[in-house]
Amino acid sequence: MTPSRMTRNMHSHKEPAPVTKSHYQVSGYGTNGTGDENDVWRIEVFEAASNDTQIETLTSKIRLIHYNVKCGLYATRYMLPKWGWEQMEVTCDPSPSSRKRDPGEWWIIEDNHKEGLPQIHTGHLAPGFAAKFIESHVIMFDVNGNLKPKIDDPLTSRPWHWPLNYQGQVFFSMDYKIYLLGNPVVFWANLAMLILYPCVALVFHARQARGVPEPEELAVSRWLDASTFFYVAWALHYVPFYYMGRVLYFHHYFPAFLFSCMVSGVLVDFLLRNLSRWMSAVNFSSLLQSLFIAIFGILVFSFYVFCPFSYGLYGPRAGEPNSTVNSLKWLESWDI
């Protein structure tokens, strides 16, 4: 068997595969179709009554069984090392009969060219919307479940890093360095609100349980409903990452980050309305204006200070002589 894009035959022998040591190695052998007896494979039609069953393009599932070694061509879930360009490992499974239900041993013929035969269209074989929807989601879950973190990969991070803004992610690092990092003022303010919210909610839940009357203008029930919804949404978008074995990056926190901002907004609004009960209308109006100016000014200034992370850092790294970003490295874990 000779792949169409190669001049070497598909070859296997009883040598361990590079990653899956319990399987045999599959390699290229010979030149221009000239090889040896270990280049011969037998085609078996999946779930066919006999091997004489007609094979059809795209619809027939086949297995490739090595004629001498009796192993089956198998696509593992592992990636080859860097010398193999980190492509999927293909091996020869020494126990093919035990894997008849394993899709790793199923193969299909995508195209067939034969002189004298008419070319036909395969549009009628295309799946419908429901089949495409189900297949795409099955593949998505399968691929995501097999994205394993690489050893000592500086781009990966852990879920506990994200709310703390503990570690960013390098996107481009040549003359200019693009570093994905959250605005520390916003991230740490949101973290404080995420910690404060359960305390405030617990106090007002307890007051409601004891029948303590609350002023109508506070709308405590509406606030509890809204804040609980946003807090639960943040948790649902964040907590599951602790149970995932796949590779994780800082940007996975961004959907949860949006809900943390909503929790902060709702909580600050409620605390201010609660504070208005103890201040005159004039003093409270002045306080609101001062807070707005202060918060808006802090956000604009923090964006101005940290925008080089997004627009590009140039020059020596933080800690090196003549570096212009020493003042921006607030945490040692920031790789700038």
Side-chain angles (χ1 to χ4, degrees), residues 121-256:
H121 297 286
T122 58
H124 65 283
L125 299 176
F129 172 78
K132 289 180 180 179
F133 181 84
I134 294 173
E135 181 185 23
S136 64
H137 280 71
V138 169
I139 294 174
M140 177 180 65
F141 282 114
D142 183 65
V143 170
N144 274 275
N146 288 284
L147 291 175
K148 304 301 181 183
K150 302 175 183 177
I151 299 176
D152 299 327
D153 187 350
L155 300 180
T156 62
S157 58
R158 299 305 306 158
W160 68 268
H161 293 171
W162 304 337
L164 300 174
N165 208 28
Y166 180 79
Q167 176 184 342
Q169 182 179 339
V170 177
F171 269 106
F172 187 76
S173 182
M174 293 182 69
D175 293 336
Y176 282 89
K177 186 173 185 178
I178 306 299
Y179 191 65
L180 177 64
L181 185 73
N183 186 322
V185 175
V186 177
F187 266 71
W188 294 340
N190 284 345
L191 179 61
M193 294 298 158
L194 290 171
I195 296 173
L196 180 61
Y197 162 77
C199 302
V200 176
L202 182 63
V203 169
F204 281 91
H205 272 299
R207 289 171 62 90
Q208 282 188 337
R210 297 178 60 185
V212 178
E214 302 289 355
E216 291 185 4
E217 61 269 18
L218 284 184
V220 174
S221 296
R222 187 176 64 180
W223 172 79
L224 285 173
D225 291 341
S227 57
T228 301
F229 174 82
F230 292 137
Y231 198 88
V232 171
W234 168 82
L236 290 176
H237 284 78
Y238 173 58
V239 174
F241 286 106
Y242 282 93
Y243 303 95
M244 292 185 183
R246 59 151 291 165
V247 60
L248 298 174
Y249 300 104
F250 180 46
H251 64 259
H252 287 137
Y253 181 65
F254 288 1

Side-chain angles (χ1 to χ4, degrees), residues 7 23 34 69 100 109 118 126 159 166 170 180 197 199 239 274 279 294 296-297 303:
T7 59
H23 289 193
T34 302
V69 184
K100 284 188 175 182
I109 297 175
Y166 180 79
V170 177
L180 177 64
Y197 162 77
C199 302
V239 174
N274 197 38
M279 300 178 64
F296 184 77
F303 172 80

Side-chain angles (χ1 to χ4, degrees), residues 247-300:
V247 60
L248 298 174
Y249 300 104
F250 180 46
H251 64 259
H252 287 137
Y253 181 65
F254 288 1
F257 170 72
L258 294 177
F259 286 105
S260 71
C261 292
M262 297 178 191
V263 171
S264 298
V266 172
L267 181 57
V268 168
D269 174 71
F270 179 76
L271 293 177
L272 288 176
R273 282 192 285 110
N274 197 38
L275 182 62
S276 67
R277 299 165 53 194
W278 313 102
M279 300 178 64
S280 64
V282 175
N283 291 338
F284 182 69
S285 177
S286 300
L287 175 64
L288 283 181
Q289 293 177 11
S290 301
L291 282 176
F292 175 81
I293 294 173
I295 293 174
F296 184 77
I298 291 172
L299 291 177
V300 171

